[in-house]
Amino acid sequence: MNKYEKKRPTKTVLLIGGTGFFEIDGGRNLHHDIEHFRPLYSLYKDYVDCKISEGRKKSYFDDYLNYSIGFTSRGCFRKCHFCVNRKYDHAFVNSPLDEFLDKDRPMIYLWDDNIFALKDGWEKIFDDLNATGKPFQFRQGLDIRLLQEGHAKKLCNSKYHGDFIFAFDHVNEAKLIERKLQLWRKWCSKTTKLYVLCAFDSWDYEVVATDLQDNYHHYFLKRMNGFNSQEERDQVDIEGVFERIQILMKYGCLPYIMRFEKYKESRYRGVYTELARWCNQPNFFKKKSFRQFCEANRDYNNNEMCASYQAMLLFERDRPDIAKKYFDMRFDQINECVVSYGRKMTHPCDVCKNKGEYLTWDDFFNDNTDKITFIRQYFEGSLDFSCFIVKPRHCCMNKTPINALAYKVLHTLHETPIEAILDIIDNIPDSDLVPEDIPQISKLKYAADGLVHLSKSGLTYVVFGSLLEGRKTDTEVSKQKYGENHAKILAMLDLAWIDKKEKPNTIKISPIGECLRNCNYNDIVPKLILRTPVIQSLMKKSKLNPIDIRNDLTMLKTSTAVRRTTSIKALLKELKKLNSNEIDKRLNNIMPEIE
């Protein structure tokens, strides 16, 4: 490779080129017949079989076995200095989908350089992808700087596979990225990751500063330019990484740290390493600050000066100001996008996203539309009470008292025939279930009876758990978990909400829950059960044929699915209280053993 880079051959029996082969421009373009040759996916078979026979797990080769892979578009105009694909100055449509689509493979991966840079044709690409019915994903970080309303709407309404992934390469673009994240969160509440480049600006700061100074506020880069010491530039770079992490925390996004190879030469190599270990493992990142993560590593290794903890102390000693500002920030305290639990969060709801196309809360309260329209929006989640938790004087409800509105919701639910609700559920578009959609309880009665203990000021999980029936042990851990599980089902039913900004988390009564305590509508809770995603899915699938609950729980581990199946059956049994022949028929298709 180095030999060819220094002196490129003019005559050879091989065609040398393609993206990434030569460092800067990729070399010559491949011949059209090569670039557009249909992939021979069968070539992977012998290799995969060989590796599996050597002991590798089959799941390791998921990309080789289950995905159609190709480029629907090529090129990008940005010419980023760290990118191997700088030969183009624009994006262009490349391959039609059927050129690389294998109909027997269940999913699609796209390696497009910058799909949003297409001025024309991007929307047709998305439409073609969606028409296959197969989940798809762009493996490169999408360019959020180019995100427009149309991109966000189309992307969020697609059958997308896995997490949405964007890039946040330079802290100097923070204001622009924040505006785009606000737009993105208007449409999407799903897990979103952003690649966070580090250790690049501090080593190539002159090039980057020249590249960005005409377009963006370059406060961090100007500071780097003022230093002669590499250590000082690395300190500012690390400060910029933490600043980007803080912004992503605010919008409920996950950073994925991408370390430029020069980090290995930094005095703070350990800090870069620990930042990647902390951020790139969401289970740690969502629950611990950077300091807590490093301390946990120290405690786990029984070593006062383990590498993780030592790296943190070194940087804190050199730059206590940066450490004080960022080392103790936590995702669950800064995240402004999640305030409760249960249904997929819909604020801003579809009313806000598509003004004029949906019924508003004021319309409903003032009898400006039929009640079935309200029930449809309420059950599909496009009109959601969570708006009042986020912003009590939401644009949908300018004058209506919240409690008066809640009473009207309950009365309308009570008056609506169950057959009408089932018809609405049957026509709600399918969506992929996530683990958070699957409740875990012993008896719904214990949670429902617990409403009497709730108030607007809230209870911790431990206190709530200690007040509920059915708890088998009295340990703090037992009460915590018991209270949390029953709090979550109440939130899923819209009867309570979980305030994650209070530490520890607290469960608080919702407007609907507060009003339900003062009325005698016995059918409300069973009807609200039909609003939960997993029950909706089961009701739709059981309309005509027998089904197996476990087929809806494939996102869970087998042992977890067994436990959650019991919880789901507990909710389904509550539906018997609706005295509906249609409900009974569907329940019989789900679990014929129900009494």
Side-chain angles (χ1 to χ4, degrees):
M1 174 66 186
N2 291 335
K3 172 183 173 183
Y4 286 135
E5 182 66 51
K6 293 176 182 177
K7 188 177 180 180
R8 302 186 182 185
T10 56
K11 294 182 179 180
T12 176
V13 295
L14 300 175
L15 178 61
I16 300 174
T19 301
F21 192 90
F22 294 116
E23 182 178 349
I24 296 177
D25 62 9
R28 63 187 292 185
N29 291 337
L30 297 176
H31 191 276
H32 181 276
D33 291 344
I34 298 175
E35 181 67 44
H36 295 275
F37 188 84
R38 184 173 182 79
L40 294 176
Y41 295 110
S42 59
L43 290 175
Y44 293 133
K45 186 178 185 306
D46 290 344
Y47 167 73
V48 172
D49 289 345
C50 176
K51 291 300 180 181
I52 291 175
S53 69
E54 294 174 358
R56 282 278 189 149
K57 292 184 177 180
K58 187 177 181 179
S59 59
Y60 180 81
F61 301 100
D62 201 34
D63 288 10
Y64 297 86
L65 300 174
N66 294 318
Y67 295 88
S68 298
I69 303 173
F71 294 82
T72 56
S73 69
R74 288 275 200 177
C76 177
F77 66 92
R78 293 197 180 276
K79 298 183 180 291
C80 297
H81 295 284
F82 52 81
C83 183
V84 299
N85 192 15
R86 284 174 267 167
K87 67 190 298 179
Y88 301 110
D89 59 6
H90 68 287
F92 53 92
V93 174
N94 187 62
S95 298
L97 188 57
D98 58 9
E99 188 173 279
F100 58 85
L101 179 67
D102 184 339
K103 294 182 179 179
D104 293 329
R105 291 175 171 244
M107 290 174 279
I108 303 171
Y109 271 163
L110 293 314
W111 289 98
D112 299 44
D113 302 304
N114 194 340
I115 184 73
F116 289 166
L118 279 179
K119 295 181 179 179
D120 299 302
W122 69 269
E123 194 163 10
K124 182 181 184 303
I125 289 173
F126 275 90
D127 289 341
D128 290 345
L129 288 165
N130 286 319
T132 68
K134 298 177 184 288
F136 65 90
Q137 184 185 57
F138 289 92
R139 297 303 298 270
Q140 313 280 46
L142 294 169
D143 194 343
I144 197 170
R145 294 166 294 184
L146 300 177
L147 187 76
Q148 301 297 323
E149 193 99 13
H151 296 133
K153 184 175 182 179
K154 181 69 73 173
L155 192 56
C156 290
N157 289 326
S158 294
K159 194 169 185 179
Y160 206 75
H161 172 63
D163 302 332
F164 293 102
I165 304 175
F166 297 100
F168 193 171
D169 293 325
H170 304 293
V171 67
N172 305 283
E173 299 170 312
K175 291 183 179 179
L176 173 63
I177 298 295
E178 273 214 74
R179 291 199 303 272
K180 298 301 183 179
L181 285 174
Q182 290 168 3
L183 169 61
W184 176 246
R185 281 309 189 201
K186 173 181 174 181
W187 286 97
C188 180
S189 60
K190 295 181 180 179
T191 300
T192 301
K193 292 181 180 178
L194 283 87
Y195 292 134
V196 174
L197 176 68
C198 64
F200 180 79
D201 290 349
S202 60
W203 289 85
D204 292 325
Y205 64 98
E206 291 179 353
V207 175
V208 177
T210 301
D211 189 45
L212 295 180
Q213 63 185 354
D214 294 332
N215 300 305
Y216 302 106
H217 169 65
H218 49 289
Y219 168 70
F220 280 84
L221 293 175
K222 284 175 64 177
R223 289 174 61 194
M224 286 182 191
N225 281 320
F227 296 131
N228 294 319
S229 162
Q230 184 62 46
E231 289 180 12
E232 292 176 302
R233 291 198 292 271
D234 287 345
Q235 290 170 5
V236 174
D237 180 66
I238 290 171
E239 181 183 7
V241 174
F242 275 111
E243 180 68 19
R244 281 177 281 170
I245 291 171
Q246 186 178 56
I247 291 170
L248 297 182
M249 284 181 170
K250 177 181 177 182
Y251 292 96
C253 298
L254 301 175
Y256 190 92
I257 303 298
M258 305 286 283
R259 291 168 287 175
F260 187 61
E261 60 185 3
K262 286 287 189 178
Y263 89 92
K264 298 175 183 177
E265 301 175 33
S266 173
R267 167 179 167 83
Y268 305 110
R269 173 178 178 168
V271 177
Y272 284 117
T273 299
E274 296 312 312
L275 274 170
R277 292 182 64 228
W278 173 49
C279 292
N280 298 359
Q281 299 180 85
N283 286 340
F284 290 124
F285 180 74
K286 289 181 178 180
K287 298 175 183 177
K288 297 180 183 296
S289 65
F290 180 70
R291 185 188 304 280
Q292 289 171 327
F293 174 76
C294 294
E295 290 173 343
N297 276 276
R298 174 200 62 188
D299 297 340
Y300 178 80
N301 292 291
N302 295 317
N303 182 356
E304 184 69 26
M305 293 304 290
C306 74
S308 176
Y309 192 67
Q310 193 170 359
M312 182 195 73
L313 290 181
L314 170 65
F315 191 85
E316 188 167 33
R317 182 170 62 247
D318 290 353
R319 291 300 305 268
D321 56 326
I322 296 176
K324 182 178 180 180
K325 184 176 181 180
Y326 297 109
F327 278 17
D328 297 303
M329 63 184 184
R330 284 180 46 149
F331 177 85
D332 54 357
Q333 295 175 350
I334 296 177
N335 181 9
E336 295 182 358
C337 293
V338 178
V339 295
S340 190
Y341 177 91
R343 292 185 53 82
K344 295 175 177 64
M345 299 307 289
T346 55
H347 52 268
C349 65
D350 286 343
V351 178
C352 182
K353 297 172 189 174
N354 303 282
K355 290 183 173 63
E357 297 182 26
Y358 286 84
L359 164 72
T360 69
W361 284 115
D362 277 343
D363 289 334
F364 166 65
F365 190 79
N366 296 323
D367 292 319
N368 291 341
T369 188
D370 65 281
K371 301 303 184 289
I372 291 298
T373 302
F374 158 72
I375 294 295
R376 176 180 58 77
Q377 286 186 219
Y378 186 63
F379 274 76
E380 71 183 12
S382 58
L383 195 60
D384 203 293
F385 247 95
S386 59
C387 290
F388 305 130
I389 299 167
V390 181
K391 188 177 180 181
R393 306 315 299 177
H394 189 263
C395 60
C396 293
M397 195 204 75
N398 295 318
K399 300 177 181 179
T400 307
I402 293 178
N403 281 358
L405 178 61
Y407 272 118
K408 185 158 186 176
V409 169
L410 293 181
H411 180 72
T412 303
L413 282 173
H414 175 66
E415 294 292 321
T416 303
I418 188 61
E419 289 73 20
I421 294 176
L422 287 174
D423 184 61
I424 288 168
I425 290 173
D426 290 338
N427 289 284
I428 292 176
D430 293 332
S431 61
D432 294 333
L433 295 174
V434 297
E436 288 76 12
D437 292 329
I438 317 300
Q440 182 176 343
I441 57 168
S442 50
K443 288 186 179 181
L444 183 61
K445 179 180 183 300
Y446 299 151
D449 290 348
L451 279 176
V452 300
H453 303 298
L454 295 180
S455 65
K456 292 178 180 178
S457 59
L459 298 174
T460 65
Y461 291 152
V462 172
V463 174
F464 187 57
S466 67
L467 296 172
L468 298 178
E469 294 181 60
R471 196 180 67 259
K472 295 180 180 179
T473 63
D474 287 321
T475 66
E476 288 294 294
V477 174
S478 166
K479 288 186 283 188
Q480 163 87 12
K481 191 63 180 175
Y482 197 72
E484 180 179 0
N485 288 339
H486 288 76
K488 287 177 177 178
I489 187 59
L490 288 178
M492 200 176 289
L493 299 182
D494 225 3
L495 299 174
W497 66 284
I498 296 169
D499 190 343
K500 293 189 173 183
K501 290 191 175 298
E502 290 194 12
K503 299 302 164 189
N505 293 346
T506 61
I507 174 172
K508 300 180 178 181
I509 193 76
S510 73
I512 290 181
E514 191 172 9
C515 293
L516 183 61
R517 293 190 303 197
N518 301 316
C519 72
N520 58 355
Y521 293 148
N522 295 325
D523 62 338
I524 294 298
V525 171
K527 285 180 176 177
L528 289 175
I529 290 173
L530 290 170
R531 200 170 170 266
T532 60
V534 66
I535 301 299
Q536 285 188 359
S537 176
L538 293 172
M539 284 290 108
K540 291 170 67 175
K541 293 174 181 177
S542 64
K543 180 178 181 179
L544 300 175
N545 301 300
I547 63 170
D548 188 335
I549 293 176
R550 291 170 296 182
N551 291 337
D552 264 29
L553 307 181
T554 54
M555 81 294 291
L556 302 175
K557 294 180 180 179
T558 303
S559 57
T560 305
V562 171
R563 294 194 300 272
R564 300 294 176 90
T565 299
T566 302
S567 298
I568 291 171
K569 287 184 176 182
L571 292 179
L572 291 171
K573 289 178 180 178
E574 293 291 320
L575 300 182
K576 291 287 289 183
K577 297 177 180 178
L578 293 170
N579 296 318
S580 163
N581 291 333
E582 180 62 24
I583 287 283
D584 291 345
K585 184 187 79 172
R586 299 192 191 199
L587 289 177
N588 192 57
N589 278 338
I590 301 172
M591 44 180 198
E593 76 277 9
I594 191 170
E595 296 178 358

